Amino acid sequence: MELSKLTTEKRNEKSMQLDQMSTMEILKTINDEDQKVAKAVEAVLSKVDKAIEHIYKALADGGRLFYVGAGTSGRLGVIDASECPPTFMTPPDMVQTVMAGGNGAFFSAVEGSEDDETQGADDLKAKNLTDKDVVIGITASGRTPYPIGALKYARDIGVYTVSLSCNEGSLISQFAECDIEVVVGPEVLTGSTRMKAATAHKMVLNMISTTTMVKLGKVHENLMVDVHASNYKLMERAKRTIIEITNVSYEEAEETLKSTKNEVKPAIVMIKGGVTYPKAMDAIEYSNGYVRDAINYALQHNV
């Protein structure tokens, strides 16, 4: 009865005849409902902003960001965290996911793992949290014991806590200093929160990680200047980024990138600032990784 009161568990009036619909009718119904997700996210942007400010300050100070979730929520955390090293060249431990049932649960459901509040706390304890870190508990229903246990533990030791759910007045919100409740309404398929709820959470996690990395200086204009050029596609993207910012030829971009061990930032500063690789690295360090400031520093100190 407690579950039946949740918005995420209610029946959607527009899909009551789902099993009688044609393929196109089903698609249109899903698409109509999906269009509500962005509006629901828009309604909580002030909360997302609050969370990002704390996350940015924490990571800038050497802290870490932890996503904690079970099932789809945990998988969304894994996806977002795993994209940070290749996209922004972050250390593997800067953004992490603690998932009910362990890493294997990403591929196969581990039944019952989400119902253990103590395990959520224990799994987070194993990460040796400090008050520099931030923990985000993710649960569509807002009542999943595993992330709730993790947030309780984190809060008890002075870690900044954020909750991400899809029901108003979620239980998990009680244990978060910043509660983000993205109310997307009942799912087309009743209770299937891998649909609208998961889409909303993916959007919010994208916002959190991307905006935080922009604020950390890992983006110049709208270009990834800390991309880890580890394959052909990323190597070509790195070269195009250098060309876009410096207007040099493909050949010069390629040659400069080689001299920086495939790091985009120093290549840009070398070209724009007219400095050597060591001086470019000094400028980047002095400017805390911000390309615009590093170029200005290089130009001012290029003697």
Side-chain angles (χ1 to χ4, degrees):
M1 290 300 296
E2 180 187 349
L3 276 172
S4 67
K5 295 177 183 178
L6 300 177
T7 301
T8 50
E9 294 294 325
K10 290 181 179 178
R11 297 185 69 182
N12 190 316
E13 292 183 2
K14 294 184 179 180
S15 62
M16 297 291 277
Q17 304 301 319
L18 194 65
D19 64 327
Q20 299 296 305
M21 292 180 182
S22 68
T23 299
M24 184 55 71
E25 286 172 334
I26 294 173
L27 295 178
K28 286 184 176 179
T29 301
I30 292 173
N31 184 244
D32 286 345
E33 289 297 306
D34 282 347
Q35 291 180 50
K36 298 177 182 179
V37 176
K39 283 295 183 182
V41 172
E42 182 182 20
V44 298
L45 286 182
S46 62
K47 292 290 185 75
V48 180
D49 175 69
K50 178 183 176 183
I52 289 170
E53 286 301 316
H54 281 273
I55 293 165
Y56 157 64
K57 290 174 183 176
L59 298 190
D61 193 37
R64 299 166 296 170
L65 172 61
F66 290 93
Y67 298 137
V68 184
T72 299
S73 296
R75 293 183 186 102
L76 289 171
V78 172
I79 291 169
D80 198 73
S82 66
E83 290 293 335
C84 287
T87 307
F88 303 109
M89 210 180 289
T90 58
D93 65 342
M94 178 180 277
V95 184
Q96 301 181 47
T97 299
V98 177
M99 184 169 179
N103 293 337
F106 184 85
F107 301 99
S108 301
V110 179
E111 300 300 336
S113 60
E114 68 176 52
D115 297 328
D116 193 338
E117 192 173 297
T118 301
Q119 192 63 52
D122 289 345
D123 288 350
L124 201 53
K125 283 180 186 177
K127 296 295 183 178
N128 298 315
L129 285 187
T130 74
D131 57 10
K132 286 186 174 183
D133 300 325
V134 175
V135 176
I136 302 180
I138 311 169
T139 161
S141 68
R143 60 174 295 283
T144 308
Y146 186 87
I148 287 176
L151 281 200
K152 283 182 178 180
Y153 166 70
R155 191 183 62 168
D156 287 346
I157 65 170
V159 174
Y160 189 80
T161 53
V162 179
S163 64
L164 180 56
S165 65
C166 282
N167 283 293
E168 189 174 355
S170 289
L171 178 61
I172 197 171
S173 296
Q174 299 175 23
F175 310 104
E177 292 169 83
C178 177
D179 59 306
I180 305 171
E181 298 175 347
V182 195
V183 183
V184 295
E187 299 286 1
V188 170
L189 181 62
T190 305
S192 184
T193 52
R194 65 187 178 85
M195 299 181 76
K196 288 193 298 182
T199 300
H201 285 179
K202 179 67 166 66
M203 291 172 71
V204 171
L205 294 179
N206 282 348
M207 289 178 172
I208 288 172
S209 58
T210 301
T211 306
T212 299
M213 296 305 163
V214 171
K215 292 171 71 67
L216 287 170
K218 294 181 174 295
V219 173
H220 180 71
E221 296 176 355
N222 63 349
L223 298 168
M224 293 182 281
V225 291
D226 257 340
V227 63
H228 180 47
S230 57
N231 59 35
Y232 176 78
K233 181 188 77 172
L234 296 178
M235 282 289 291
E236 291 304 303
R237 179 180 294 162
K239 295 170 194 174
R240 290 199 309 272
T241 297
I242 295 168
I243 294 167
E244 284 281 340
I245 296 172
T246 65
N247 292 316
V248 298
S249 67
Y250 180 91
E251 290 73 22
E252 185 174 348
E254 184 174 48
E255 192 62 32
T256 308
L257 190 62
K258 285 181 182 178
S259 71
T260 65
K261 302 174 185 177
N262 296 331
E263 291 188 35
V264 175
K265 270 186 183 177
I268 294 168
V269 177
M270 285 174 66
I271 296 168
K272 294 284 283 186
V275 294
T276 62
Y277 174 67
K279 286 189 176 181
M281 293 301 290
D282 288 343
I284 292 167
E285 182 178 0
Y286 179 84
S287 305
N288 294 317
Y290 295 93
V291 170
R292 203 179 303 274
D293 293 343
I295 292 170
N296 291 334
Y297 181 87
L299 288 170
Q300 293 169 12
H301 295 81
N302 185 16
V303 295

